[in-house]
Amino acid sequence: MIPFNAPPIVGTEIEYMQSAMASGKLCGDGGFTRRCQQWMEQHFGSKKVLLTPSCTASLEMAAILIDIQPGDEVIMPSYTFVSTANAFVLRGATIVFVDVRPDTMNIDETLIEAAITEKTRAIVPVHYAGVACEMDAIMALAQQYKLFVIEDAAQGVMSTYKGKALGSIGHIGCFSFHETKNYTAGGEGGATLINDASLVERAEIIREKGTNRSQFFRGQVDKYTWRDIGSSYLMSDLQAAWLWAQLEAATKINHQRLSLWQHYYDALQPLADSGRITLPSVPADCQQNAHMFYIKLRDQQERQALIDWLKEAEILAVFHYIPLHSSPAGKRFGRFAGDDRFTTPESERLLRLPLFYNLSDNNQHTVINSLLSFFS
Ligand SMILES: *Cc1c(COP(=O)(O)O)cnc(C)c1O
C-alpha cells in the first residue's frame, strides 16, 4: 500500500529526545523549546515565536489575545479546517465566510471588503497548500478598517509571499507541526508567531495559564500571579527536541518536497494540456513549500472513479474540507457573505496525491503511472 501520508523522519530525532531526557527537564520552555523558537524568530522574522501543543491551540490563543467577544465577526474562507473557525466560535464570534479563488483555493481578497461590517474584528487568511494569500491587499484592508489579521499558516511553514515568511505578515501567525504537515513535533504541535510587539507580553501570559510565569523565570518579577484569562498552551520539551531535529533539516526537507511536487507537475502536464485535469497554480510573488500536490478532476463522479482506481492499485489519494458553511456547525455559527461561486464546486473536484518527505521515487512513479493509465 502507498500511504497518503507518512510523518517526516530525518534520523536525528531520537538523539535529541535522549538529550532532552538527560537534561532532567521535559516540561514546556526547556532548552529545545528555546532553540526552536529562536530559530524561527531568526528565519521567519517574527518578534516572538511561542511553541504550542497544536495549530488549533495557537488559533485559540490568537482569539483570546485579540479579545474576541460574543457578537464579533471574523472573516475567513469556508474551504478550511474546522479549527480555523472553532477558535473564534469558542469566544462567541460569528464566522463570515468569503468565497475562494479557483486558482489557489485561497480567500478571494477582492470579496473581503463587501463582507466587512461594523462588527468585524479580524480577517483570517488560510494559506492553502502553503501558497500565500494576497497579503498586501488583505493587510491594506485591515489597516483601513482597523482589523486584526491572524494568518492560519498551518500549511505554510517555509513558504514566502514577496520574500516574507508566511505567518510573519499578519499581527499573529499560526503554524502546525502535526504529522501531516511539512515538519512535525512528534505527531502534534504548533507555534504562535507574535509579529506585533505590543501583543507579546499578554501572549506569554495567556500561554502560561493566565500568569506572568515567563517573566518570573526571566527574573523580571519576584513572584508570579494570576493576571488574565489563559490556558496551558505549552509544548513538552520532549516534542520540541523532535521538532529541533526537523528544523535543522528544514532546507533539506523543503527541497525534497519541492522536487517531488515538480515531478508530479511535469509528469501530469500533458493531461492538463489536453484539458483532462487542472493543475495547481502558484502566483509569481509566492515561493511555496510543496505542502500538497492536488489535481482537479471534471466533477465529483470522476474524482470518485479515480479514487477507486488508485485504491485498486493500492494507492491512497484523499480529498478534504466539506466547506464549513454547509456543515451543521458552520450553519449555526456562521454565514456566507456573497455567492458561493467556487468554494463548493471547486472543492468537489479536488483530489490530493501522496506527497511526503519519505515518499520514494519508485512509489511516486507508481502513482504517476496509475494516474496516466486511468486517463488513457
Ligand atoms: C492542520 C491544520 C490546522 C490544525 O492544525 P493542528 O496542529 O492539527 O491543530 C488548522 N488549519 C489548517 C489550515 C490546517 O491545515
Side-chain angles (χ1 to χ4, degrees):
M1 201 64 153
I2 299 177
F4 167 69
N5 180 68
I9 292 173
V10 296
T12 45
E13 291 87 352
I14 284 280
E15 179 191 325
Y16 290 142
M17 285 169 80
Q18 269 167 348
S19 142
M21 285 160 73
S23 79
K25 186 169 160 66
L26 292 176
C27 66
D29 282 339
F32 283 102
T33 298
R34 267 198 302 279
R35 272 196 233 180
C36 291
Q37 291 179 170
Q38 276 168 9
W39 188 95
M40 286 191 273
E41 284 160 12
Q42 279 159 16
H43 280 74
F44 303 138
S46 173
K47 294 271 179 337
K48 186 79 198 170
V49 176
L50 299 168
L51 291 189
T52 63
S54 64
C55 184
T56 300
S58 287
L59 288 160
E60 289 177 15
M61 258 186 83
I64 296 172
L65 189 49
I66 65 167
D67 263 325
I68 292 293
Q69 299 292 323
D72 288 349
E73 292 180 357
V74 177
I75 294 173
M76 66 181 64
S78 171
Y79 188 66
T80 183
F81 188 62
V82 291
S83 295
T84 321
N86 244 334
F88 298 92
V89 170
L90 279 166
R91 313 302 316 153
T94 297
I95 307 300
V96 177
F97 297 113
V98 167
D99 209 9
V100 292
R101 297 162 40 148
D103 61 342
T104 56
M105 300 302 281
N106 282 335
I107 192 165
D108 186 335
E109 69 281 358
T110 65
L111 302 176
I112 293 174
E113 189 163 18
I116 296 173
T117 72
E118 67 277 11
K119 292 181 178 165
T120 308
R121 294 286 321 285
I123 306 171
V124 187
V126 178
H127 305 297
Y128 184 70
V131 175
C133 297
E134 223 4 278
M135 290 307 291
D136 278 354
I138 291 170
M139 295 310 291
L141 277 174
Q143 188 163 29
Q144 188 184 340
Y145 291 94
K146 301 196 168 24
L147 307 175
F148 282 106
V149 174
I150 314 294
E151 294 178 76
D152 182 338
Q155 304 176 11
V157 182
M158 291 287 277
S159 292
T160 60
Y161 169 80
K162 298 188 178 175
K164 288 186 213 151
L166 300 194
S168 76
I169 305 166
H171 300 88
I172 303 170
C174 302
F175 283 168
S176 173
F177 299 116
H178 187 261
E179 68 172 24
T180 52
K181 302 304 199 291
N182 291 27
Y183 309 92
T184 187
E188 303 276 354
T192 312
L193 284 72
I194 312 293
N195 307 315
D196 179 333
S198 70
L199 296 173
V200 170
E201 190 180 324
R202 189 154 175 261
E204 289 185 328
I205 289 172
I206 291 166
R207 179 165 168 268
E208 270 287 12
K209 301 96 181 167
T211 73
N212 56 347
R213 196 160 177 243
S214 303
Q215 293 172 332
F216 172 74
F217 279 125
R218 283 196 297 262
Q220 293 165 338
V221 290
D222 292 339
K223 53 171 92 109
Y224 70 86
T225 54
W226 187 17
R227 294 296 170 113
D228 205 330
I229 60 166
S231 189
S232 183
Y233 292 126
L234 288 85
M235 177 191 282
S236 148
D237 214 52
L238 196 60
Q239 282 182 272
W242 179 299
L243 180 61
W244 177 246
Q246 308 238 315
L247 293 181
E248 265 194 340
T251 302
K252 189 174 162 213
I253 293 177
N254 199 37
H255 281 157
Q256 170 65 3
R257 295 189 74 107
L258 285 165
S259 134
L260 290 164
W261 192 97
Q262 194 61 45
H263 199 153
Y264 272 134
Y265 193 93
D266 295 342
L268 301 179
Q269 182 85 62
L271 290 176
D273 291 344
S274 61
R276 304 297 301 273
I277 63 169
T278 306
L279 288 173
S281 73
V282 181
D285 287 332
C286 306
Q287 176 58 56
Q288 63 141 347
N289 62 357
H291 170 63
M292 192 189 299
F293 194 91
Y294 66 82
I295 58 174
K296 285 185 187 161
L297 289 308
R298 197 177 51 228
D299 52 30
Q300 223 168 354
Q301 284 69 34
E302 192 184 45
R303 177 173 72 179
Q304 192 54 50
L306 178 55
I307 291 172
D308 294 343
W309 174 271
L310 292 171
K311 201 170 222 167
E312 217 29 55
E314 305 205 305
I315 296 162
L316 286 180
V318 304
F319 60 86
H320 63 170
Y321 304 153
I322 305 301
L324 296 183
H325 73 284
S326 53
S327 65
K331 284 179 190 153
R332 239 170 91 202
F333 300 121
R335 65 163 192 275
F336 203 97
D339 298 325
D340 172 8
R341 276 183 69 204
F342 297 113
T343 300
T344 300
E346 293 297 303
S347 70
E348 289 175 347
R349 304 201 300 136
L350 188 145
L351 184 68
R352 305 170 63 187
L353 304 180
L355 196 166
F356 48 92
Y357 175 66
N358 304 86
L359 177 64
S360 68
D361 288 346
N362 242 345
N363 280 350
Q364 189 181 29
H365 280 128
T366 307
V367 178
I368 289 167
N369 289 335
S370 185
L371 262 163
L372 294 175
S373 66
F374 175 82
F375 287 101
S376 64

